[in-house]
C-alpha cells in the first residue's frame, strides 16, 4: 500500500516544526500497518478553510492519476475545516477506492465526515467570534486592531513581565508631513493622479512603494484611501466592513456593516490633520461627486478639470450659452459654432482675454477703498489673535499661582508631620506642571502686540502688483487659481462696438464694487450693476472690466 501523508499548519505564527511532528506521527501509523510511504504533501501557513492549497490540490491530482493507495493525516481537520470541501474530498477518494486514515480518528467513514466536518466549521466560527471580540477590546482602548497605517509607526515596548506591547502607534513625523501635503494639494484643486505623480517624481515612498490615484482617493464609503482615513483626525473607526469568502473562488469579498455597528474611539494623540483642512477636502470631494453624477447617471466630460485659468466659466452675453475654445488659441460662442442659433460671432484670443482680466483685476484691486478694506480686515484678525495671546497669558499666570499654592500646602503638611506616600507622586506632578508653566511664561514676549503693521498697505500693493507673476509661479499657481475661480460664478463676454466686453459675476465682482463709484446714479452702466429680485435678495454682483 502506497501511503501519502498530508500535513498542514494554519498561520505563519506557528512553527514549521509542526509539519515534522505530523509527519513523524503519520509515519509511525504507516509502519504499524506495514504500508510504504509514497510522498508527503505539506501546506505551510494556509488555513484549512480554503481548498486552494498547492499541496492539497496536488494530492487530489495524484489520487486521480492512481499514484497512491491510502491517504494518511494526523487528523481530519488537517485535510480541511470546511464541511463542503471535506465531503468533496471524501467523495473523490471513495470514487478512486482510496481510504482515508488519520492518527486521531482511524479510518474515516461518512459518520466522521458529518460530525467532524460540523465540529470543524463550528470551531472556525467560534475562533472568528473570539478574535473579533479580542480586536474590539483592543480598539476600545484606542489601540490598533492590526495593519500599519501610513503616517504612523508601530511601537513595540517591553512590559515588566517580559511580554511585548501590541496595538501601540505613534506619529511618523516625515510621513505626517506627506499626509498634510496630500490633503493641502487636493483642497487646492490638484487631482489625485497629479498628486501621486508628483510624489513618485520626488522619490517619496508610499504605503505600497509607489503612489497611485486610488491610494490617495480611495473609497469614501469604506473609509479607504489617504483622503478618507479619519484616523488622521484623531478618530479611530473599526468594524466598518466585514469579509465574506466567495465559495466559488475562495477569495474574500468586503461587505459594509451598518454604521450602528461601527466602533468609534477618539485618539487625539494620533491627530495629523486639522478640522478645517479635513472639511475643505470633504467639500471638494462632495462637489466633485455631485458634478460627476446627474440624475443617477455619470455625466460624460463633467469630471474634466480646467485646463486654463477660466476654462468652463465663460458665457456668451447674447444667448447665455458657453464660450468654448475655437481652434487652438481663441474662444467663441458654442451656440454660434454648433447650432447657428446665436448671432455673436466675435472671438477673443485666450492670452489676450486672460491678460485683460488680470490687468483689470490688478488695477481695480489697487483702489484706495480696497486697500483700506484689506487693512481693516487684517487689523481685525490681528487684534483677535493678540487678544487670544493675552488671554492665554493671563490663564497661564492664574494656573501657575494655583499650582504654587498647592505645592506650598503639601510642603506645610509635611512640615507638620502629615506625610503619605501619595504626596510624593502628587508633588512630582505639580512640580512638573509648574516648570512647564514657568518656561512658557518666560518665553512669552512681554512687549505689547503691534495692532497694525506699518508696512501693511505697501505689502498689499506689492501682492496685487505681482498677481500675474503669482499665477505663473508653479509653486502657488494651483492654489491661486483655485481661489480666484471659487470667487467667480461665471464670466460673460458681451458684444459691444465690435469687441467683446468682459463682465465678472460672483463674490469677486462684489469685492471690486467696493472700489467703484458709490453713487448709483452717477455710475456708468459699463462699470458695475446690482440686480434685486423680489422675495429672494440680491443676485450675484456683476462687474465690468
Amino acid at each position: 500500500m502506497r501511503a501519502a501523508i498530508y500535513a498542514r499548519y494554519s498561520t505563519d505564527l506557528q512553527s514549521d516544526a509542526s509539519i515534522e511532528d505530523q509527519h513523524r506521527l503519520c509515519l509511525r501509523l504507516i509502519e504499524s500497518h506495514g504500508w510504504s510511504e509514497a510522498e508527503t504533501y505539506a501546506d505551510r501557513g494556509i488555513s484549512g478553510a480554503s481548498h486552494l492549497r498547492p499541496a492539497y490540490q496536488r494530492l487530489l491530482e495524484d489520487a486521480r492519476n492512481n499514484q497512491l493507495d491510502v491517504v494518511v493525516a494526523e487528523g481530519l481537520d488537517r485535510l480541511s475545516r470546511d464541511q463542503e470541501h471535506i465531503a468533496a474530498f471524501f467523495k473523490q477518494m471513495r470514487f478512486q477506492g482510496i481510504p482515508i486514515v488519520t492518527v486521531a480518528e482511524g479510518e474515516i467513514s461518512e459518520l466522521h465526515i458529518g460530525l467532524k466536518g460540523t465540529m470543524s466549521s463550528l470551531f472556525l466560527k467560534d475562533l472568528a467570534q473570539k478574535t473579533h471580540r479580542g480586536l474590539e477590546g483592543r480598539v476600545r482602548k484606542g489601540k490598533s486592531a492590526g495593519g500599519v497605517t501610513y503616517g504612523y509607526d508601530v511601537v513595540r515596548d517591553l512590559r515588566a513581565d517580559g511580554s511585548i506591547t501590541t496595538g501601540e502607534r505613534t506619529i511618523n513625523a516625515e510621513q505626517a508631513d506627506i499626509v498634510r501635503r496630500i490633503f493641502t494639494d487636493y483642497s487646492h484643486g490638484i487631482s489625485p493622479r497629479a498628486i501621486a505623480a508628483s510624489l513618485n517624481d520626488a522619490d517619496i515612498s508610499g504605503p505600497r512603494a509607489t503612489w497611485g490615484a486610488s491610494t490617495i482617493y480611495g473609497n469614501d464609503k469604506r473609509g479607504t484611501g489617504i483622503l478618507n482615513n479619519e484616523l488622521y483626525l484623531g478618530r479611530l473607526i473599526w468594524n466598518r466592513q466585514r469579509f465574506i469568502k466567495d465559495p466559488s473562488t475562495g477569495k474574500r469579498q468586503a461587505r459594509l456593516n451598518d454604521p450602528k455597528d461601527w466602533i468609534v474611539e477618539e485618539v487625539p494623540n494620533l491627530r495629523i490633520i486639522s478640522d478645517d483642512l479635513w472639511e475643505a477636502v470633504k467639500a471638494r470631494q462632495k462637489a466633485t461627486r455631485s458634478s460627476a453624477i446627474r440624475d443617477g447617471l455619470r455625466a460624460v466630460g463633467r469630471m474634466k478639470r480646467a485646463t486654463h485659468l477660466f476654462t468652463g466659466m465663460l458665457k456668451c452675453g447674447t444667448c447665455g450659452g458657453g464660450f468654448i475654445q475655437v481652434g487652438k488659441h481663441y474662444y467663441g460662442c458654442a451656440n454660434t459654432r454648433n447650432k447657428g442659433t446665436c448671432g455673436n460671432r466675435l472671438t477673443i484670443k485666450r492670452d489676450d482675454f486672460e491678460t485683460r482680466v488680470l490687468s483689470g483685476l490688478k488695477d481695480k484691486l489697487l483702489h484706495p477703498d480696497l486697500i483700506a478694506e484689506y487693512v481693516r480686515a487684517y487689523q481685525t484678525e490681528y487684534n483677535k489673535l493678540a487678544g487670544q495671546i493675552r488671554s492665554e497669558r493671563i490663564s497661564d499666570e492664574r494656573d501657575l499661582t494655583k499650582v504654587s499654592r498647592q505645592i506650598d500646602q503639601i510642603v506645610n503638611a509635611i512640615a507638620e508631620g502629615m506625610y503619605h506616600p501619595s504626596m510624593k507622586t502628587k508633588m512630582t506632578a505639580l512640580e512638573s506642571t509648574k516648570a512647564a508653566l514657568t518656561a512658557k511664561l518666560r518665553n512669552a514676549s512681554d512687549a505689547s502686540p503691534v495692532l497694525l503693521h506699518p508696512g501693511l498697505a505697501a505689502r498689499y500693493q506689492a501682492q496685487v502688483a505681482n498677481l500675474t507673476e503669482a499665477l505663473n509661479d508653479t509653486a502657488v499657481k494651483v492654489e491661486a487659481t483655485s481661489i480666484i475661480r471659487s470667487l467667480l460664478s461665471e464670466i460673460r463676454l458681451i458684444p459691444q462696438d465690435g469687441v467683446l466686453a468682459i463682465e465678472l459675476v460672483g463674490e469677486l465682482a462684489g469685492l471690486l464694487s467696493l472700489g467703484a463709484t458709490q453713487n448709483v446714479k452717477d455710475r456708468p452702466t459699463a462699470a458695475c450693476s446690482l440686480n434685486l429680485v423680489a422675495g429672494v435678495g440680491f443676485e450675484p454682483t456683476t462687474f465690468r472690466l
Side-chain angles (χ1 to χ4, degrees):
M1 295 281 286
R2 295 167 297 171
I5 298 174
Y6 181 80
R8 176 189 63 82
Y9 63 83
S10 300
T11 71
D12 291 331
L13 297 179
Q14 292 177 273
S15 172
D16 191 62
S18 173
I19 297 294
E20 297 178 4
D21 295 337
Q22 294 177 49
H23 178 267
R24 184 176 61 254
L25 292 174
C26 292
L27 191 58
R28 188 180 302 164
L29 176 64
I30 291 173
E31 292 173 350
S32 67
H33 285 78
W35 301 333
S36 63
E37 180 185 2
E39 186 177 348
T40 298
Y41 301 82
D43 284 312
R44 293 171 170 82
I46 303 179
S47 171
S50 171
H51 67 289
L52 301 177
R53 290 168 271 154
Y56 178 82
Q57 291 295 329
R58 192 159 51 85
L59 172 62
L60 285 171
E61 183 66 23
D62 289 349
R64 285 190 285 265
N65 293 331
N66 195 30
Q67 295 183 17
L68 52 101
D69 300 313
V70 60
V71 174
V72 178
E74 180 190 23
L76 194 59
D77 57 357
R78 294 300 90 195
L79 289 166
S80 179
R81 287 189 180 274
D82 185 276
Q83 286 179 295
E84 178 186 2
H85 297 158
I86 193 61
F89 182 83
F90 177 77
K91 186 180 296 185
Q92 180 67 37
M93 293 302 106
R94 168 162 287 191
F95 176 75
Q96 298 294 142
I98 300 174
I100 305 171
V101 181
T102 67
V103 176
E105 296 93 4
E107 185 169 352
I108 301 301
S109 64
E110 289 86 349
L111 185 63
H112 292 98
I113 296 299
L115 292 178
K116 293 291 290 188
T118 301
M119 291 174 62
S120 294
S121 294
L122 290 175
F123 169 80
L124 288 177
K125 183 178 180 180
D126 184 56
L127 180 63
Q129 291 176 342
K130 289 180 179 179
T131 303
H132 190 277
R133 182 188 64 199
L135 292 177
E136 179 180 344
R138 182 182 296 183
V139 170
R140 291 192 180 279
K141 295 179 182 179
K143 297 183 178 182
S144 169
V148 179
T149 303
Y150 187 82
Y152 303 93
D153 289 328
V154 176
V155 178
R156 300 290 190 191
D157 291 332
L158 188 65
R159 295 192 182 98
D161 60 359
S163 61
I164 304 295
T165 59
T166 57
E168 300 289 349
R169 283 181 289 198
T170 186
I171 294 176
N172 182 309
E174 183 177 348
Q175 293 182 0
D177 290 338
I178 302 301
V179 171
R180 283 187 281 266
R181 170 181 168 178
I182 292 172
F183 272 80
T184 302
D185 286 350
Y186 183 81
S187 68
H188 290 162
I190 304 179
S191 69
R193 190 187 303 274
I195 295 173
S198 66
L199 293 173
N200 289 329
D201 290 341
D203 291 329
I204 297 174
S205 297
R208 294 179 178 86
T210 57
W211 291 91
S214 61
T215 305
I216 295 173
Y217 199 81
N219 186 308
D220 63 308
K221 292 183 179 180
R222 300 187 186 278
T224 60
I226 296 291
L227 297 177
N228 302 308
N229 193 340
E230 295 192 36
L231 185 60
Y232 298 134
L233 268 182
R235 185 181 302 124
L236 176 60
I237 300 181
W238 182 74
N239 201 39
R240 192 191 293 262
Q241 60 186 8
R242 66 190 184 280
F243 292 91
I244 300 177
K245 188 172 294 185
D246 186 338
S248 60
T249 64
K251 295 182 178 180
R252 299 195 310 164
Q253 300 290 330
R255 296 287 187 273
L256 287 174
N257 291 329
D258 193 300
K260 64 180 176 57
D261 296 327
W262 297 0
I263 307 299
V264 182
E265 291 294 329
E266 298 296 330
V267 282
N269 59 304
L270 297 179
R271 174 187 279 265
I272 292 177
I273 299 298
S274 67
D275 290 333
D276 292 340
L277 184 54
W278 176 269
E279 292 301 327
V281 166
K282 294 296 113 178
R284 182 171 176 235
Q285 285 182 319
K286 182 178 179 180
T288 303
R289 286 192 295 270
S290 62
S291 66
I293 306 298
R294 183 175 58 202
D295 299 331
L297 298 175
R298 182 169 296 278
V300 179
R302 300 275 291 189
M303 289 293 289
K304 188 175 181 180
R305 290 174 174 80
T307 307
H308 303 289
L309 178 58
F310 299 112
T311 299
M313 306 184 72
L314 279 62
K315 300 292 183 182
C316 177
T318 301
C319 67
F323 241 63
I324 61 174
Q325 190 164 331
V326 179
K328 189 175 182 180
H329 302 290
Y330 287 84
Y331 290 129
C333 177
N335 289 333
T336 299
R337 275 17 183 213
N338 301 330
K339 300 179 180 179
T341 57
C342 179
N344 181 9
R345 297 185 175 279
L346 295 176
T347 60
I348 186 170
K349 195 172 183 179
R350 185 183 69 245
D351 292 342
D352 294 342
F353 166 75
E354 292 183 356
T355 300
R356 282 176 59 185
V357 172
L358 294 178
S359 298
L361 286 177
K362 184 164 59 177
D363 294 340
K364 300 299 180 183
L365 289 173
L366 289 175
H367 192 281
D369 290 348
L370 286 181
I371 296 177
E373 177 67 17
Y374 174 86
V375 172
R376 184 200 63 78
Y378 184 95
Q379 185 176 8
T380 300
E381 184 63 22
Y382 196 92
N383 289 348
K384 178 182 176 181
L385 294 176
Q388 291 177 353
I389 293 173
R390 287 196 296 268
S391 298
E392 289 180 3
R393 182 178 180 84
I394 293 173
S395 176
D396 290 339
E397 290 175 344
R398 187 185 302 115
D399 291 343
L400 180 59
T401 301
K402 180 180 178 181
V403 169
S404 299
R405 186 185 306 116
Q406 290 176 334
I407 291 175
D408 292 340
Q409 290 173 351
I410 293 178
V411 171
N412 292 335
I414 294 175
E416 293 176 3
M418 297 174 58
Y419 176 76
H420 190 274
S422 61
M423 290 182 174
K424 181 179 179 181
T425 304
K426 181 68 173 177
M427 181 67 96
T428 301
L430 290 173
E431 288 290 355
S432 177
T433 303
K434 180 179 179 180
L437 290 171
T438 302
K440 184 177 180 181
L441 290 170
R442 182 173 60 251
N443 295 330
S445 175
D446 294 329
S448 300
V450 179
L451 298 185
L452 182 62
H453 194 281
L456 192 58
R459 177 175 174 80
Y460 171 82
Q461 291 174 323
Q463 288 176 330
V464 173
N466 293 329
L467 178 63
T468 305
E469 290 79 358
L471 288 171
N472 290 327
D473 184 357
T474 55
V476 297
K477 180 179 180 179
V478 175
E479 182 177 3
T481 300
S482 176
I483 293 173
I484 290 180
R485 290 178 64 89
S486 68
L487 294 175
L488 291 172
S489 56
E490 66 180 54
I491 301 176
R492 298 169 186 162
L493 296 171
I494 305 170
Q496 183 175 316
D497 300 329
V499 296
L500 290 172
I502 301 172
E503 185 176 76
L504 306 181
V505 182
E507 295 179 24
L508 182 58
L511 178 63
L512 297 177
S513 299
L514 294 173
T517 307
Q518 297 300 313
N519 189 341
V520 177
K521 294 181 180 180
D522 299 334
R523 183 166 56 207
T525 332
C528 171
S529 63
L530 286 171
N531 298 318
L532 182 65
V533 181
V536 177
F538 287 102
E539 288 185 350
T541 308
T542 62
F543 197 93
R544 288 280 185 91
L545 290 174

